[in-house]
Amino acid sequence: MPSHSAKMKIGLYGTATGANVNGWRHPDAVADLGANISAVADMARMAEAGLLDFVFLADSMAMRGHDWEVLARSSTRYVAQFEPLTLLAALSMVTTNIGLIATHNTTYDEPYMLARKFASLDLISGGRSGWNLVTSSNLEEAENFSREKHPDHGDRYIRALEFADVVRGLWHSWDDEAFLYDKESSLFFDREKMHLLNHKGAHFQVRGPLNVPPSPQRHPVMVQAGASEPGRNLAAETAEVIFTVSPGMEEAQKFYSDINGRMAKYGRAPEELVIMPGISVFVADTEEAAQAKRQELLELTDPVVGRDYLKHMLGDVIDLSQYADDELLPDLPVSNANRSAQERLFKMSREQNMTIRDLYLSVASKGAPAFIGTADQVADEMQRWFEAGAADGFIFLMDYFPNSLADFNTMVIPELQKRGLFRTAYEGTTLRENLGLGLPRRPKLQAAARLAGE
């Protein structure tokens, strides 16, 4: 059993067109969810009614690829969607308890700007925000930021490490009661409770302080999703939540143990981190009906879309349109994009003799395992992972809105509550309180010193 909580944590992956590449095509799906503020507000309120910990918004700052005929069918999730921080600020006004997490990459931004935007969201929401730190696996983003080439994988993580240090340092610019607003003495803030960062590193020089006060949870929760070797080290040092994808429980256990084993090196304890694998869920009154729901989505798979999504998951290193669906995956060069997913899928293809069609159907919901069956059966599997040290909770990959979330809320959540595995009321008003995380400590080790070998 995970040591820091007797109850599992559950977040909602609320991507614009559904976590399944075919989700938006379902007859009942809200196809324009990414640009429909009324529908997104309904989604957030529904997730909060289910007492979920947070809504998680993925993001990319470019469409993937240059073949516009293919992109018109396959790049749906990054074509028509709100900028996530703007959207989450709006959602904070129509929700009360649920956390609000957004992806933003460190490759094409500056740490001061990011720190300021997320700190503002955290303050607006009353301490419910989180930042999902990524280094960008989208090669096309470079062309939107005056660059001809996406930075190398290793270089992106070195920059990300320093970037995260600067952001956390800026978020600690002010002690909790630094702002006095004292009209009598004419003191707006207490100078002794203000801290300059004065960071000078390999990539950034940032003086500070940040001109946003701390929120009730002090600063946003740090979320990380990388599973490569550099990504695991970054997560062990900086993350408070990890969104991971493991094909099975054994792999999830190994990942869970590996990350927790790395934390002591950075002066951290496992209780400071919540590890949450992504899962796809198909639930119904009978196992046969649940299987039929999954099959219905898989039958919507356009081969062009399937191959293009698999191409991205393999790190954009090969044009799969030249291969037939019943062919096996060829050998691949090393990716400069999504390296951990590439390695996992290539291993699966060889060990299980999977065709290209087998592979793209298997990754239709981000390559996450599918828990399929009755509420009892789905809860059994979630409980098995949770109690076996494979997860502190899960990120529910909503295949499409609204049915996927409605089914999960009305069937799976009550069964977990009946077993005492999930809350019946929110524990607090901040994301940290609900995740069982303490207030963050002021960072001691800065990237400038670390990168210099001090």
Side-chain angles (χ1 to χ4, degrees):
M1 177 76 73
S3 59
H4 60 290
S5 176
K7 298 187 186 298
M8 63 179 65
K9 309 302 177 184
I10 302 176
L12 172 70
Y13 186 83
T15 192
T17 52
N20 189 289
V21 293
N22 313 300
W24 70 277
R25 298 185 62 203
H26 191 280
D28 296 332
V30 179
D32 66 345
L33 180 65
N36 183 332
I37 185 60
S38 177
V40 181
D42 287 343
M43 179 188 75
R45 285 188 289 251
M46 187 183 294
E48 186 168 70
L51 302 177
L52 303 192
D53 285 271
F54 54 79
V55 173
F56 181 108
L57 299 182
D59 192 42
S60 180
M61 293 188 282
M63 294 169 65
R64 299 188 187 276
H66 295 83
D67 187 331
W68 303 112
E69 295 301 321
V70 172
L71 288 172
R73 296 155 72 174
S74 66
S75 191
T76 53
R77 67 185 62 205
Y78 299 124
V79 174
Q81 65 182 60
F82 297 110
E83 187 283 317
L85 283 174
T86 306
L87 175 58
L88 290 182
L91 296 183
S92 73
M93 297 291 99
V94 297
T95 57
T96 304
N97 294 98
I98 196 163
L100 305 165
I101 296 175
T103 295
H104 198 97
N105 80 61
T106 60
T107 305
Y108 301 110
D109 204 344
E110 290 289 320
Y112 190 93
M113 289 300 296
L114 185 144
R116 189 178 187 220
K117 286 184 282 190
F118 272 95
S120 296
L121 173 62
D122 207 35
L123 200 58
I124 289 169
S125 65
R128 292 189 283 138
S129 79
W131 168 36
N132 178 41
L133 185 164
V134 299
T135 66
S136 176
S137 62
N138 188 350
L139 305 180
E140 274 69 36
E141 287 185 344
E143 296 177 76
N144 286 341
F145 291 88
S146 305
R147 303 186 193 186
E148 295 182 358
K149 182 183 176 184
H150 196 51
D152 289 339
H153 186 272
D155 292 341
R156 296 201 309 272
Y157 273 97
I158 291 173
R159 175 187 167 93
L161 189 63
E162 186 179 348
F163 194 113
D165 271 345
V166 174
V167 169
R168 287 185 297 160
L170 288 168
W171 282 340
H172 286 274
S173 293
W174 306 95
D175 292 341
D176 293 339
E177 299 176 355
F179 287 90
L180 304 174
Y181 306 114
D182 190 332
K183 295 179 181 180
E184 290 292 326
S185 66
S186 189
L187 278 177
F188 200 78
F189 66 88
D190 183 344
R191 171 62 186 87
E192 297 301 315
K193 296 182 179 180
M194 183 271 283
H195 308 279
L196 290 176
L197 183 62
N198 285 326
H199 173 91
K200 294 183 179 180
H203 292 88
F204 307 108
Q205 295 187 36
V206 181
R207 186 195 66 175
L210 189 67
N211 57 348
V212 181
S215 80
Q217 67 169 0
R218 198 163 289 165
H219 72 61
V221 171
M222 294 282 289
V223 185
Q224 220 268 326
S228 66
E229 187 65 20
R232 292 181 185 218
N233 285 328
L234 181 63
E237 179 171 2
T238 67
E240 297 170 287
V241 172
I242 296 182
F243 173 17
T244 181
V245 175
S246 295
M249 193 181 79
E250 184 178 345
E251 292 85 356
Q253 287 173 312
K254 291 177 181 177
F255 180 86
Y256 189 100
S257 177
D258 178 68
I259 296 295
N260 282 335
R262 297 176 189 232
M263 295 180 71
K265 176 182 176 182
Y266 304 105
R268 304 184 66 206
E271 291 77 14
E272 299 175 65
L273 177 64
V274 179
I275 298 177
M276 305 176 73
I279 57 170
S280 177
V281 174
F282 296 90
V283 61
D285 291 334
T286 66
E287 184 177 355
E288 293 74 20
Q291 291 284 1
K293 286 183 178 182
R294 182 170 187 257
Q295 189 60 32
E296 181 183 26
L297 268 185
L298 292 181
E299 288 175 357
L300 293 172
T301 305
D302 180 339
V304 171
V305 174
R307 284 192 294 267
D308 187 72
Y309 187 64
L310 177 59
K311 169 181 171 287
H312 162 62
M313 293 287 283
L314 292 171
D316 293 306
V317 296
I318 188 171
D319 179 8
L320 290 175
S321 65
Q322 61 186 303
Y323 298 94
D325 275 8
D326 60 359
E327 290 187 72
L328 298 177
L329 196 66
D331 290 338
L332 303 173
V334 175
S335 170
N336 186 36
N338 199 343
R339 191 166 293 177
S340 59
Q342 182 197 55
E343 293 171 352
R344 173 170 51 83
L345 289 171
F346 188 77
K347 181 181 178 184
M348 278 176 56
S349 74
R350 290 298 185 261
E351 290 180 349
Q352 301 177 37
N353 201 36
M354 298 176 75
T355 65
I356 288 172
R357 184 176 189 275
D358 292 335
L359 280 170
Y360 70 61
L361 290 179
S362 77
V363 301
S365 295
K366 292 189 66 64
F371 292 3
I372 307 168
T374 64
D376 277 350
Q377 290 172 314
V378 171
D380 282 347
E381 192 65 4
M382 294 175 73
Q383 183 172 359
R384 190 169 74 92
W385 281 48
F386 180 64
E387 293 180 349
D392 296 311
F394 301 91
I395 294 184
F396 166 53
L397 301 175
M398 179 185 68
D399 284 304
Y400 67 94
F401 181 77
N403 296 14
S404 294
L405 180 55
D407 287 348
F408 190 79
N409 266 11
T410 59
M411 289 187 264
V412 178
I413 292 297
E415 180 59 32
L416 293 173
Q417 290 171 328
K418 186 173 72 174
R419 301 180 185 203
L421 291 170
F422 191 65
R423 65 168 64 89
T424 55
Y426 283 108
E427 294 82 1
T429 60
T430 71
L431 180 54
R432 289 182 185 282
E433 288 173 323
N434 292 324
L435 288 173
L437 296 169
L439 290 174
R441 298 168 294 179
R442 185 175 300 281
K444 295 180 180 179
L445 189 62
Q446 295 298 312
R450 180 165 60 258
L451 295 174
E454 296 178 8

